[in-house]
Amino acid sequence: MSAVRRGLESLIPALRRFARALARDAETADDLVQDTLVRALRGEHLFHGGDLRTWTFTILLNLDRNRRRGLARRPILAVIEDVDPAGPPGTDGTGRDIERGLVLLPQEQREVLLLVTLEGLSYREAAEVQGVPIGTVMSRLSRARTALRTHLEGQRPRLRQVK
Amino acid sequence: MTERDASVTEDELHAYVDGALPGDRIAAVEARLASDPEAASRVAAWRAQATSIRANWERVVEEPVPERLRLEHIARRASGTWRKIAAAAVIAFAIGAAGGWYGHEYSSFGRNDQIARAIADAAIEAHRLYINEVRHPIEVRAGEAHLLPWLSRRVGSTVRAPDLAPEGLKLMGGRLLPGTPGPTALIMYEGSGGERVTITSTRAAREGATAFHWKSAGEIGALAWVEGGVAFVVAGPADRARLDRVARRVYEAYETAANERR
């Protein structure tokens, strides 16, 4: 097994985690990972050094963006995907809140927040994955955190009433 | 607020939360947080968000990786399939060449039958691989004028996309698959139920022809034949009668075109 393949193999769990947070539906998420791996293997010969994680996350992100563009052309599916109260059964209240909050963020803000907090990418790596300057990453991150905070704090009283 | 506090930027607050702050700035940021409750509550909220995000998805990494995501599985499907088609095509080519050389066009009949079956196997796998690719099953869409000329040029024989509307199938587009001695063209159609039917064609024997060979693997069926030096496979849901009609239409489309040239 080549070094690239060994590296890819070790990235699969993190790719699944990131895809799950992006797509929410486990099956869709694993489809994304599968397509990412197929692409990565197909492009293996194009990979000359560099950071394997950044490269595969970039592939996954682009596939997810394509997927969303596809969904956007089918409005009914997009609506179900985005408004459906999130999460597998048994997720606790906090989990649902954070999932719902993330869903409400613009795609690129959600991506940055997940890359940085969930996957622990540096700002520079996140910039590389998104193909934008680091300043854009910082402003997206800031907007994401502000919006999420407003959302989570605005939700709390309502949830208390429900319970 | 001291001057040193004022120099702490918003970006540095984020970096503090994300553990990306250079060590020599930590004291400055912490001093700012101690003197600015608003900044402190923001930072606390951001930390809590990060904790919830991690708590919510962290478990995914502990799940066993499903079989379909295992690298050897994906590698097998990605390259094994083409290696098999390639191998079948090489044999077909060699036999075809020998047949032509000795001038016994039909002496390779029996072997061509075997080739048709081998190619059908590989095409079924290819079919499976690409019909499952929901998002990018094809490289070039049907509407793009260069689809057929491009595939024809690369495969080295004319690739057609017969009208299969009478079978309820709409042309989606095509892709090129690597192979030896030459690449394989894959043309994909979609039916009203979302079912997909593919036609693959590969330069095979120079001479020789075979009857239709039926092959099925689970829910997928294929009809394969060799005609005019090209190996064809029509694959789709294992409905023999329908695939038979599709295969005949494909065969006729190529035959009609060939007769017109004569």
Side-chain angles (χ1 to χ4, degrees):
Chain A
M1 206 187 238
S2 72
V4 171
R5 291 204 176 181
R6 270 196 305 277
L8 276 179
E9 186 94 66
S10 69
L11 282 169
I12 294 174
L15 286 166
R16 292 187 73 220
R17 173 177 60 196
F18 182 54
R20 189 81 62 91
L22 277 181
R24 294 161 67 217
D25 171 65
E27 202 63 22
T28 310
D30 281 347
D31 285 349
L32 277 174
V33 175
Q34 187 173 1
D35 290 353
T36 301
L37 295 171
V38 168
R39 291 233 167 161
L41 286 179
R42 216 185 274 155
E44 196 182 349
H45 60 286
L46 300 173
F47 185 78
H48 304 293
D51 188 89
L52 197 59
R53 185 168 66 149
T54 315
W55 182 54
T56 47
F57 275 61
T58 307
I59 297 174
L60 197 151
L61 211 68
N62 289 333
L63 289 171
D64 186 53
R65 287 176 175 185
N66 291 343
R67 178 183 74 91
R68 280 168 191 279
R69 270 198 288 275
L71 288 177
R73 280 196 292 272
R74 286 182 266 174
I76 295 166
L77 285 180
V79 169
I80 291 168
E81 145 107 1
D82 283 349
V83 181
D84 169 40
T91 309
D92 58 13
T94 321
R96 269 202 295 277
D97 285 353
I98 197 79
E99 287 189 31
R100 208 182 285 124
L102 282 172
V103 162
L104 295 173
L105 295 178
Q107 165 93 1
E108 62 281 4
Q109 291 182 26
R110 177 172 47 241
E111 290 167 4
V112 163
L113 190 60
L114 290 172
L115 286 170
V116 170
T117 60
L118 185 61
E119 299 304 329
L121 263 66
S122 69
Y123 300 147
R124 184 164 303 285
E125 289 166 333
E128 204 183 307
V129 168
Q130 286 201 322
V132 296
I134 206 158
T136 308
V137 160
M138 295 315 293
S139 69
R140 283 175 179 173
L141 184 62
S142 179
R143 275 179 281 146
R145 284 177 160 159
T146 305
L148 196 54
R149 187 182 175 203
T150 309
H151 171 77
L152 291 175
E153 286 174 2
Q155 283 248 306
R156 226 167 271 149
R158 228 176 62 208
L159 277 183
R160 241 184 248 129
Q161 277 172 10
V162 172
K163 279 176 185 167
Chain B
M1 210 185 265
T2 68
E3 250 185 39
R4 201 188 57 170
D5 292 341
S7 71
V8 171
T9 64
E10 173 88 2
D11 285 2
E12 283 181 313
L13 294 181
H14 287 286
Y16 181 69
V17 170
D18 296 320
L21 194 67
D24 58 0
R25 293 295 296 158
I26 291 176
V29 169
E30 286 179 348
R32 161 81 184 275
L33 295 176
S35 66
D36 181 351
E38 201 284 317
S41 86
R42 248 187 305 158
V43 162
W46 297 346
R47 279 224 161 108
Q49 291 171 8
T51 306
S52 305
I53 288 171
R54 282 193 286 265
N56 205 49
W57 285 289
E58 195 51 67
R59 278 161 295 170
V60 177
V61 296
E62 283 149 32
E63 293 174 10
V65 173
E67 178 60 25
R68 70 175 171 124
L69 297 186
R70 297 181 61 85
L71 216 51
E72 60 269 38
H73 181 77
I74 288 171
R76 209 164 46 231
R77 294 184 74 172
S79 70
T81 303
W82 306 121
R83 223 170 281 138
K84 265 183 238 161
I85 285 194
V90 168
I91 297 165
F93 187 82
I95 290 169
W101 182 262
Y102 291 111
H104 297 298
E105 204 174 307
Y106 297 104
S107 66
S108 57
F109 231 111
R111 278 173 299 174
N112 259 341
D113 286 353
Q114 287 168 12
I115 290 151
R117 276 188 221 107
I119 290 178
D121 280 343
I124 285 175
E125 265 189 68
H127 178 83
R128 237 192 221 122
L129 181 65
Y130 286 103
I131 56 164
N132 287 337
E133 271 202 46
V134 177
R135 283 165 300 283
H136 40 80
I138 50 174
E139 269 172 327
V140 179
R141 302 208 162 265
E144 295 179 44
H146 65 283
L147 170 66
L148 296 175
W150 167 66
L151 286 174
S152 303
R153 197 172 61 244
R154 298 303 302 276
V155 172
S157 68
T158 308
V159 174
R160 302 179 190 286
D163 178 19
L164 297 178
E167 296 302 326
L169 294 168
K170 190 167 167 285
L171 180 65
M172 291 175 75
R175 62 160 60 236
L176 191 70
L177 310 166
T180 335
T184 297
L186 181 145
I187 302 278
M188 191 180 288
Y189 293 80
E190 192 169 45
S192 54
E195 78 279 17
R196 290 178 176 173
V197 170
T198 57
I199 306 172
T200 49
S201 53
T202 316
R203 286 270 309 259
R206 277 185 203 159
E207 305 290 340
T210 70
F212 285 180
H213 288 272
W214 169 252
K215 180 102 199 179
S216 72
E219 72 291 7
I220 295 179
L223 278 161
W225 70 97
V226 176
E227 178 69 44
V230 180
F232 296 91
V233 183
V234 166
D239 172 348
R240 170 87 197 246
R242 188 190 194 194
L243 282 180
D244 228 80
R245 290 194 303 273
V246 170
R248 267 164 222 294
R249 282 187 192 278
V250 174
Y251 179 83
E252 276 159 22
Y254 275 89
E255 273 303 279
T256 308
N259 287 337
E260 275 166 7
R261 277 204 315 274
R262 273 170 204 148

